[in-house]
Amino acid sequence: MRVLHLDSGADWRGGQQQVLYLAEGLKSFPVEQHLIVRAGSPLSKRLQPLGLPVIALPFHSEWGPFSLFGLLGVIRKTRPQVIHAHDSRTLGMAVLLRAAGCYFHLVASRRVAFPLNTNPLWRLKYQKFPDRIIAVSRHIQELLVQQGIVPGKVQVIHDGLLLPVTPGPEEKRSARRHFELADGELLIGTVGQFTREKGHEVLIRAFRAIADQQPGIRLLLLGDGPLRSRLSDLARSLGLQDKVLLQRADCDLGKVFPALDLFVYPSLVEGLGSVLLLAMAYRIPVCASRTGGIPELVVQGETGFLVPPGEPLSLAEQVLQILRKPDGLNEMVERAYQRVHSEFNAARMVSQTFNVYTNLLGT
């Protein structure tokens, strides 16, 4: 079986992590893989140790002639039986080439919960040409069907995770020293692009109320994006400039997560929220918005806590309740860890994706 993966992501986000897991996992299957990724992207660098054929293209737009002809050249050379487009931009390019007469089975991944009909080509991109659409949550599957996609064309495959080694006391102390945390000081944090839908403004406003009730606490925002300056200004206007840390997420999260006492995910719109899996795998209590696919990961009162999206006061109240009873969370974080281990591991995601390919090829 010959599979060509396409990913145009310029940053390191959940989608790129899943492409890396998938490419690495499929090395144990009878699959000849080729990958086309964005030039200079973090994914292009992290794929190198796998020893797989990787080609870099600009991927500035769906219509970029250099990228289109580059993709056409790779298709003619490798003759893939399956092309797996891991984002909307590369799906558009694959659709154009398939419409022009190139033959291959087309698989599309859909990770975001935004409406399809905002794109004038959505019927071609998602309704007509893909043979299968992999939705990362049941929520996205339902949205696709509501917008006219044939139900049998959409298959849910949740993101997977390679479980990290549980950090010991020294790793935790080292992580806390990195953030210059005093003894007894608490650290809550989140990871995500600094964009409106991730809800960072809601979290900062909630943190103002949290800090009033719990003085020895700090907030870590890991990420980057267009709202970075705005978030910094908001923290300053609320008198939180010394308590809110904004740092880029290109660091080793394995050296950050052990410092956290609570992981908060305040998204307003979310396809799945796979970074929650990482927090759960590190046995960190999680509090997240009840939106999109997040409830498929976080079960209220069993593996974490859910709050209404976009409500700073509700978020603050829930966080304060969690912090006041830390000793009662041990069973919850252990249940969350076991759920990630059994239901959201990378091997399961890889196997399910391989089955999509084989079903298309009839093998």
Side-chain angles (χ1 to χ4, degrees), residues 53-348:
V54 179
I55 297 169
L57 293 176
F59 282 139
H60 296 313
S61 73
E62 294 179 29
W63 312 101
F66 186 85
S67 296
L68 269 172
F69 283 108
L71 174 56
L72 177 60
V74 174
I75 291 173
R76 287 175 172 172
K77 182 179 179 180
T78 62
R79 298 185 179 276
Q81 295 167 286
V82 176
I83 288 183
H84 189 161
H86 292 271
D87 57 67
S88 180
R89 177 177 292 149
T90 57
L91 175 60
M93 298 176 70
V95 163
L96 287 174
L97 294 180
R98 185 161 167 178
C102 293
Y103 179 77
F104 46 80
H105 293 283
L106 181 56
V107 176
S109 285
R110 184 70 178 175
R111 303 187 57 82
V112 296
F114 303 124
L116 292 177
N117 53 16
T118 58
N119 187 316
L121 295 178
W122 76 272
R123 290 187 183 277
L124 292 176
K125 290 175 66 172
Y126 288 95
Q127 194 172 57
K128 182 176 181 180
F129 281 100
D131 298 293
R132 291 290 186 277
I133 301 174
I134 295 175
V136 298
S137 65
R138 293 188 297 275
H139 173 72
I140 290 180
Q141 180 188 44
E142 292 167 2
L143 289 177
L144 291 172
V145 172
Q146 289 171 8
Q147 294 175 89
I149 306 300
V150 177
K153 184 179 283 192
V154 187
Q155 181 169 338
V156 176
I157 300 180
H158 288 119
D159 283 350
L161 183 72
L162 289 178
L163 288 175
V165 176
T166 301
E170 181 52 40
E171 286 85 359
K172 292 183 178 182
R173 284 193 293 268
S174 176
R176 288 181 60 81
R177 284 196 300 267
H178 175 76
F179 295 109
E180 301 179 347
L181 296 172
D183 291 342
E185 194 170 19
L186 300 175
L187 180 65
I188 66 175
T190 192
V191 178
Q193 286 291 102
F194 295 153
T195 52
R196 181 187 175 279
E197 70 273 9
K198 291 300 183 181
H200 291 94
E201 291 190 30
V202 175
L203 178 54
I204 292 174
R205 294 186 187 281
F207 187 70
R208 176 65 276 173
I210 295 167
D212 287 341
Q213 298 292 320
Q214 188 97 31
I217 192 168
R218 299 171 79 182
L219 171 63
L220 174 64
L221 306 180
L222 274 177
D224 203 4
L227 296 186
R228 184 182 185 87
S229 296
R230 181 172 174 174
L231 296 177
S232 180
D233 292 342
L234 176 61
R236 188 178 300 107
S237 70
L238 295 174
L240 297 170
Q241 63 272 15
D242 296 329
K243 288 183 170 290
V244 176
L245 310 174
L246 278 76
Q247 295 198 4
R248 299 186 186 280
D250 54 1
C251 56
D252 182 357
L253 294 181
K255 296 180 180 180
V256 173
F257 273 71
L260 295 178
D261 297 287
L262 175 66
F263 187 83
V264 183
Y265 203 63
S267 277
L268 306 178
V269 180
E270 191 65 53
L272 184 66
S274 58
V275 72
L276 285 160
L277 296 175
L278 188 58
M280 294 159 72
Y282 273 103
R283 292 182 167 92
I284 301 169
V286 298
C287 178
S289 299
R290 187 184 289 107
T291 187
I294 290 176
E296 297 173 39
L297 305 183
V298 181
V299 180
Q300 169 65 24
E302 294 185 21
T303 61
F305 301 92
L306 296 171
V307 297
E311 297 185 12
L313 289 181
S314 296
L315 178 57
E317 289 174 2
Q318 181 64 81
V319 168
L320 286 168
Q321 288 181 25
I322 297 169
L323 296 177
R324 286 167 182 157
K325 298 181 180 179
D327 295 336
L329 300 175
N330 293 336
E331 291 186 6
M332 175 179 287
V333 298
E334 187 59 31
R335 283 195 299 268
Y337 176 87
Q338 294 300 332
R339 187 160 189 255
V340 174
H341 179 270
S342 62
E343 299 181 35
F344 296 97
N345 60 77
R348 183 175 182 176

